[in-house]
Amino acid sequence: MDKNTLEFITYCISKLAQQLNLSQQDVYRRLKSSGILYDYMIPSYDVLHTFGSKYLMNDLISFMQEKGVLEK
């Protein structure tokens, strides 16, 4: 993983933690266990990093709900 991707992932985890009122460790665990981190966020970095923060957070939250790691 290159520096830009790592910074993007760190940013997303931090913003999700704030928005969901969860710890960053909990968000990371949920993203990792659901496959969202390694099967979606990292491979799709080139596209995802171009989205606005609000859209990106809504997308990730919806995906977390779909994967069952976050209640609807």
Side-chain angles (χ1 to χ4, degrees), residues 22-51:
L22 298 170
S23 71
Q24 291 181 14
Q25 289 176 329
D26 192 18
V27 171
Y28 171 77
R29 182 185 52 76
R30 292 173 191 231
L31 292 172
K32 184 179 176 187
S33 70
S34 66
I36 295 171
L37 180 61
Y38 290 104
D39 297 335
Y40 177 60
M41 294 174 71
I42 293 172
S44 302
Y45 163 76
D46 288 340
V47 173
L48 292 176
H49 87 280
T50 65
F51 295 150

Side-chain angles (χ1 to χ4, degrees), residues 1-2 5 7 9 11 13-14 21 24-25 31-33 36 38-39 45-46 51-52 54 56-57 67 72:
M1 182 179 338
D2 66 25
T5 305
E7 287 175 355
I9 297 302
Y11 169 80
I13 290 171
S14 175
N21 199 28
Q24 291 181 14
Q25 289 176 329
L31 292 172
K32 184 179 176 187
S33 70
I36 295 171
Y38 290 104
D39 297 335
Y45 163 76
D46 288 340
F51 295 150
K54 185 176 180 177
L56 182 58
M57 293 305 109
K67 291 285 194 172
K72 292 184 180 184

